[in-house]
């Protein structure tokens, strides 16, 4: 999708993020973890523009429209931190922009950005076993399903299985 781009977060994006992703309807049942501090993103934006050495957030655009956001952070769980870290990514799309391939392209572009601008060899993502749309998006973006993380996520009063996906720097894209 040629019209999908990623760019640094702008202050006016924060209002969209708060309005669209601050409710169960804006996140969907598979991404709703309860109400959070409404000022968290604004504090991060004021402090560092939501771009840090250990992670960050970019705005997903479809043409001139804000479609959502992508986030990434360092995952330290695969061995000694100095040598075995990787990026874990996530995405939130506004309801009106879902189901159009925007998520696939945004995650493809984010992985390429991270490989181009960091030394990471691995970019990973996880999603609920029921989130078929995200599974398809990750697979279309080149990520491979690696396994099931049993009861790894607490949400809506219960533990939920997650699927782990990853893309390596050396994987064909």
């Amino acid at each position: 999708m040629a019209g999908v781009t990623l760019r640094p977060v702008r202050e006016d994006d924060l209002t969209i993020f708060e309005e669209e992703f601050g409710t169960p309807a804006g996140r969907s049942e598979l991404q709703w973890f309860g109400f959070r501090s409404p000022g968290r993103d604004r504090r991060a934006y004021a402090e560092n523009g939501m771009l840090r050495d250990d992670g960050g957030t970019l705005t997903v655009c479809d043409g001139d429209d804000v479609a959502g956001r992508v986030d990434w952070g360092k995952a330290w769980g695969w061995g000694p931190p100095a040598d075995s870290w990787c990026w874990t990514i996530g995405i939130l799309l506004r309801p009106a922009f879902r189901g159009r391939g925007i998520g696939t392209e945004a995650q493809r572009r984010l992985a390429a950005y991270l490989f181009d601008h960091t030394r990471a060899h691995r970019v990973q993502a996880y999603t609920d076993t029921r989130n078929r749309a995200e599974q398809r998006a990750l697979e279309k973006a080149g990520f491979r399903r690696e396994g099931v993380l049993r009861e790894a996520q607490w949400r809506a009063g219960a533990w939920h299985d997650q699927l782990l996906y990853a893309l390596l720097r050396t994987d064909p894209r």
Side-chain angles (χ1 to χ4, degrees):
M1 300 199 67
V4 176
T5 58
L6 304 178
R7 63 162 170 74
V9 174
R10 297 179 188 153
E11 191 168 6
D12 53 330
D13 299 340
L14 300 174
T15 301
I16 294 170
F17 296 165
E18 290 167 353
E19 290 173 357
E20 295 281 340
F21 305 133
T23 66
R27 282 192 175 249
S28 86
E29 69 172 309
L30 300 176
Q31 287 295 313
W32 179 247
F33 299 95
F35 292 104
R36 301 285 187 247
S37 168
R40 184 172 58 182
D41 282 347
R42 291 193 184 275
R43 287 189 297 275
Y45 180 80
E47 182 179 327
N48 54 35
M50 300 178 81
L51 296 170
R52 305 173 319 278
D53 290 340
D54 64 347
T57 300
L58 294 173
T59 299
V60 178
C61 295
D62 180 27
D64 293 330
D65 297 322
V66 172
R69 66 189 276 174
V70 288
D71 301 277
W72 71 95
K74 278 189 176 175
W76 299 99
W78 307 117
D83 300 322
S84 301
W85 66 272
C86 68
W87 295 118
T88 298
I89 67 169
I91 187 169
L92 287 170
L93 290 180
R94 299 168 72 187
F97 293 88
R98 296 177 190 157
R100 298 174 26 198
I102 295 168
T104 297
E105 186 60 25
Q107 290 173 110
R108 181 182 293 126
R109 288 177 186 252
L110 178 58
Y113 173 83
L114 294 171
F115 287 138
D116 286 348
H117 298 287
T118 73
R119 295 189 63 197
H121 181 66
R122 174 186 175 90
V123 175
Q124 66 184 25
Y126 56 87
T127 188
D128 192 279
T129 56
R130 296 181 299 147
N131 193 342
R132 303 280 187 234
E134 176 61 356
Q135 293 167 42
R136 283 190 306 273
L138 288 167
E139 290 165 1
K140 287 179 183 178
F143 286 74
R144 292 186 193 174
R145 180 177 164 175
E146 294 188 331
V148 177
L149 303 170
R150 298 179 310 128
E151 297 185 1
Q153 186 179 85
W154 177 259
R155 187 185 69 253
W159 290 101
H160 299 271
D161 291 351
Q162 301 293 295
L163 297 175
L164 179 64
Y165 285 82
L167 179 66
L168 303 180
R169 182 181 292 273
T170 53
D171 286 342
R173 294 195 290 273

